[in-house]
Amino acid sequence: MGWVIVAVGLSGCPGGDGGFVIDTEQPDGSVVPPYRPPRCGDAGVGDASCSDADIVVPEVDAGPPPPPCNEVTFSFSGAATSVWVSGSWLADADGVWPTDPSEGALELVADGAGFALTTLIEPIERHEYKFILDGTDWIPDPDNPSRTPDGVGGENSVLDVCGAACGDVSVFDWRDAVMYFAMVDRFRDSDGSSDEVSGVSGGDASRGPSGQYEGGDLAGVTERLPYLADLGVTALWLSAPYENRNTAGEAIDPGSDPHTYSAYHGYWPSPANIDYADPRAPSPRPQIESRIGSEADLRTLVETAHGTTGADGHGLKVLFDYVMNHVDSESGLYAAHRDWFATDPGMGGRIRSCGRENLWDDPYWGTRCAFTDYLPPFDFTNADARRWSVDDALWWAREFDIDGYRLDAIKHVPFEWLTDLRDRVDAEFSDPAGERFYLVGETFAYDDQALLAAYVDPDEMLDGQFDFPLKARLCEAVFRPDGDLSALASFMDSNDTFYGPSAIMTTWIGNHDIPRAIHFASGEIPNCREGSNPGNGWDWVPSQPSDAAPYERLGVAFGVLFTNPGVPLIYYGDEIGLAGGGDPDNRRTMPWDDGSLNAHQRALRDLVTRLGQVRAQNPVLSRGRRRTLSSARDTWVFARNGCDDEVIVAINRADSAQNVNIPAASYDELISETAVEGGTVRLGARSLMVLRAR
C-alpha cells in the first residue's frame, strides 16, 4: 500500500535570524513579506461591526487524503492460476480460517502483472495470513518479510494494521518521545556572564525583546537536565551549537524592522574552510560557538543527557538544530569556495534575495535565494558543496554521539541534499536508538499537508516534520471561542496517517518563530496563523496573564498532544505559559525562581509533568489507535487501543463544566490519581481526564 505526493508550492519565509517566522502564502495567492493574516481594522477587512472571530482564513487544498490506514493491497506475481488470501480477520467463531471463497477467503483478481486485491481489514489490530495457490498450496506472502511461526512447522505472514501492534514496549521508541526545545542562550546562564556583540539592539530579555546574547550556556542546560527529566522530557532539541557570525546583522527586511541582531539563536553558521578529505579527522577542527561554551561543555551535556533517566526509563536523547541552507558571509568557507554558493550569471553573478525579489516560492530560486544579504546560500546542485555539508552534519553527529537532527528550513534545500544525508546516516548509524536516527524537518505551512508530506519518507528522507497543519487546527479548536473539537477530531482522523505508516511527526502548540502560545490561549491573538513581525516582536510587549483560563486552555492543548500520535514538543517556557510576543520577544530568558511564577503557571507545569509521566507509563497513548466515542463542539471522548491495552481520554474545552458519557466501568483517573465511575462523568471547565479501567 502506498501513494505518491508531489509538492506543488512553497510557503514560508525567514525572519531576522534566518529561521522561519511567518507564513507568507496569503489567501489571495500573493506573497508580500512580512505577511500576517488579516485583522479587523485593516484596509478592506470587515466594517465597524467586524471582530477577528468573524474572519475566515481560507483553507489551501492539500489534495485528496491518502487511503484509510486499514486499506491493504495484496499482490502476487508468481506462477498460479488462482490466488486466494485467508487470515485471522476472516476466521469463524472457533478461530478457523476459511479454506476457499465459499467460506470467506478473499479472491485476488488477475491483472497484467499477476494477481491483486485491495480491501479493508477489520478489526484494526495485528493479523496473520497466507495465500492459497490453485486451491491447495498454502504459502506466506513472498513480498511481506514480516512472518511468525504458524505452529505446524511453517510460517504465517503478519499484518500490523494501522500500526496496532506496539512492538517491545520495554525498549526506546521514538513514537513515545516527548521533545523539549532549549534555546541555549535564553535557557540557563551557569556563570552569570555574557559576551555581547557590539552594535546589536539589546534589551532586557527577562521581560521583553532583545537581539543580544543574554548569557545562557551549555553548562546551564546540563545543570537543568534533572528538571527536564522530571518534566517528562525524553528528547532534548538544542539550538545550533556551531560557531556563528560574530558581528551584528540587520533584520530580514530593514525597511520594516530597523533593529539589529546577534547570532544568539544559532541560525547564522560561520564555519572555517574545513577540509573533510578525511571525514573523521577534518582540518581545521569544527568549532563550538564560544559564547555558549566549549567542546568539552557540549560533550558533557550530551553524555550527561544520555546518562539521565527520563520518564520512559531510558536516557534522554539529544538532537541538534542543523542549518544547512547558508553560511555567514564572513565565514572562512565562503571566502574559500565562492563557487559553492548560488549566484545568477545573468545578473552579474550576484546573489538573489528571497525577500526583496519575492523568490520564496520560486521553483528554481526557492532553493538558491538568500534569506538576507549576509547569508549566502549553498548551491547544492554542486556535488562538492553538497558533500561538504553532509560530511559536516555527519561529523557533528558522530563526534558528539547525538540521536537526531532538527533540519532547519528543509524546503529551501533540494531533495538531493536530504537523500544524501539519509543515505549516509543509515550507513554510519547502523543501530541507532529506537531503530532510527531521527530526522525531523521544518516546513512552515499551515495549510499544505502535501508539501510537508513530500519530504517525509523514513527510508529516503525525513522521519517526520513539525506538524504545522495540526498546530493551527488545535489552536483554533481549543483556544478560540468558536472552536470545535469535533472538527479537530475529524481532521486528526485523516492527519494521523497522512504522512505514511512509518512517519513520526513532531506535534506542537508553540515554537520560537511565532508569538508565545499563552497569548493565543488568552485570546489576545485571535488568529491561530499569526506569525512574527516587528509590531508584535518589538512594539507589543505582552504581560504575563493573571487569570487561570489561558493556562488551563494551554493545558488542554498539551493534553491533546500528549495522548495522541507524534512526538509532542515543549518549547522552553511553554510549560509555565511564559509570556512573549513575536520574534524576538518570544525568546525571553527562562525564569528559574518559582517565587516569580503565579499559581496558574505552576499548575500548568504540574499538569504537563503529569501528562509526560502518564504518556511514558502508557505506550498505548503513543503507539495505539484512536477510536472516537463521542465528539461535539466542546467535548471529545476517545479511546486509545493497542498494546493489549485501552485508555480513555475525555476533554472539555468549554468555559463551564460539561457532562460526557464514559463506558460503564470503574476507572483510575491517571492525571489526578483518583477513582472515577463510568457512565455520566462531569468534566470541569477547560480540563481533561485520562482513564484506565481497573
Side-chain angles (χ1 to χ4, degrees), residues 280-615:
R280 294 179 180 271
S283 177
R285 191 173 178 83
Q287 296 297 300
I288 307 294
E289 172 51 60
S290 61
R291 289 178 171 86
I292 63 170
S294 65
E295 181 174 321
D297 293 330
L298 183 57
R299 198 174 305 281
T300 296
L301 170 53
V302 176
E303 291 175 353
T304 305
H306 286 166
T308 299
T309 303
D312 61 357
H314 307 290
L316 302 186
K317 304 301 180 282
V318 180
L319 299 90
F320 288 174
D321 216 323
Y322 193 73
V323 186
M324 60 290 193
N325 178 76
H326 52 254
V327 299
D328 173 30
S329 60
E330 299 173 359
S331 68
L333 189 72
Y334 180 64
H337 296 284
R338 296 289 183 92
D339 59 315
W340 287 3
F341 296 87
T343 59
D344 188 347
M347 301 186 73
R350 71 174 178 84
I351 290 174
R352 303 292 297 274
S353 169
C354 300
R356 287 196 309 273
E357 301 178 66
N358 190 19
L359 297 174
W360 301 110
D361 297 347
D362 187 273
Y364 181 83
W365 289 106
T367 57
R368 295 170 174 85
C369 59
F371 292 176
T372 192
D373 292 346
Y374 50 83
L375 298 176
F378 278 107
D379 178 0
F380 281 134
T381 62
N382 183 313
D384 291 335
R386 194 167 69 247
R387 185 181 306 108
W388 183 93
S389 179
V390 173
D391 280 343
D392 186 64
L394 266 291
W395 183 86
W396 287 96
R398 278 194 310 266
E399 188 67 22
F400 293 95
D401 192 27
I402 62 173
D403 306 285
Y405 272 128
R406 180 264 187 186
L407 298 175
D408 182 62
I410 188 64
K411 78 181 186 69
H412 286 290
V413 297
F415 286 106
E416 290 85 354
W417 182 91
L418 182 54
T419 55
D420 282 0
L421 178 66
R422 171 56 77 187
D423 286 346
R424 290 281 302 279
V425 162
D426 288 349
E428 299 191 33
F429 292 82
S430 58
D431 187 26
E435 298 184 350
R436 61 177 81 198
F437 183 94
Y438 187 54
L439 296 180
V440 59
E442 179 221 25
T443 299
F444 202 121
Y446 285 126
D447 296 300
D448 197 342
Q449 290 172 291
L451 175 59
L452 272 67
Y455 295 84
V456 178
D457 179 348
D459 292 330
E460 302 290 341
M461 295 185 287
L462 296 175
D463 293 293
Q465 295 238 46
F466 287 88
D467 200 334
F468 279 78
L470 175 58
K471 181 270 174 186
R473 287 149 186 83
L474 176 61
C475 173
E476 289 163 350
V478 175
F479 296 163
R480 286 178 58 95
D482 59 349
D484 186 342
L485 285 178
S486 64
L488 177 65
S490 178
F491 171 80
M492 290 179 65
D493 283 345
S494 62
N495 192 62
D496 284 349
T497 57
F498 191 93
Y499 301 96
S502 300
I504 302 179
M505 302 291 281
T506 295
T507 60
W508 59 284
I509 193 62
N511 76 6
H512 59 303
D513 287 333
I514 63 173
R516 280 286 182 171
I518 194 66
H519 303 297
F520 292 94
S522 70
E524 294 169 276
I525 304 174
N527 194 318
C528 287
R529 289 163 174 75
E530 176 113 356
S532 293
N533 56 65
N536 66 26
W538 286 94
D539 302 336
W540 179 58
V541 183
S543 58
Q544 195 70 51
S546 59
D547 59 317
Y551 299 95
E552 291 169 352
R553 291 190 195 102
L554 186 50
V556 169
F558 275 123
V560 172
L561 298 181
F562 276 66
T563 58
N564 276 291
V567 177
L569 170 70
I570 305 170
Y571 175 43
Y572 85 92
D574 276 353
E575 72 269 28
I576 55 171
L578 187 63
D583 177 4
D585 191 32
N586 57 358
R587 303 167 183 192
R588 297 184 190 181
T589 52
M590 180 73 176
W592 291 107
D593 177 10
D594 263 19
S596 69
L597 307 181
N598 64 43
H600 311 307
Q601 290 180 284
R602 295 192 294 271
L604 174 61
R605 185 179 60 197
D606 290 345
L607 173 60
V608 173
T609 298
R610 189 66 193 134
L611 286 168
Q613 295 167 347
V614 169
R615 181 179 175 89

Side-chain angles (χ1 to χ4, degrees), residues 1 3 66-73 119-127 158-167 175 492-494 496-498 500-503 565-566 619-627 640-643:
M1 179 177 71
W3 53 91
C69 63
N70 62 327
E71 180 179 297
V72 175
T73 296
T119 186
L120 294 177
I121 304 296
E122 293 180 341
I124 294 177
E125 58 189 35
R126 179 186 180 277
H127 291 290
V158 175
L159 266 181
D160 180 11
V161 180
C162 298
C166 282
R175 291 178 292 177
M492 290 179 65
D493 283 345
S494 62
D496 284 349
T497 57
F498 191 93
S502 300
V620 66
L621 293 174
S622 50
R623 305 191 195 187
R625 171 180 173 264
R626 184 181 57 255
R627 177 169 54 93
R640 295 302 307 249
N641 303 102
C643 311

Side-chain angles (χ1 to χ4, degrees), residues 600-682:
H600 311 307
Q601 290 180 284
R602 295 192 294 271
L604 174 61
R605 185 179 60 197
D606 290 345
L607 173 60
V608 173
T609 298
R610 189 66 193 134
L611 286 168
Q613 295 167 347
V614 169
R615 181 179 175 89
Q617 294 161 7
N618 297 272
V620 66
L621 293 174
S622 50
R623 305 191 195 187
R625 171 180 173 264
R626 184 181 57 255
R627 177 169 54 93
T628 291
L629 303 180
S630 68
S631 64
R633 173 180 172 180
D634 291 331
T635 61
W636 183 18
V637 180
F638 57 86
R640 295 302 307 249
N641 303 102
C643 311
D644 297 321
D645 196 7
E646 179 177 86
V647 171
I648 293 175
V649 181
I651 298 169
N652 175 24
R653 66 168 294 277
D655 291 328
S656 59
Q658 302 286 316
N659 289 337
V660 295
N661 291 321
I662 303 295
S666 295
Y667 296 92
D668 291 318
E669 202 290 303
L670 303 180
I671 297 175
S672 62
E673 299 182 284
T674 59
V676 172
E677 288 299 316
T680 300
V681 174
R682 193 152 182 84

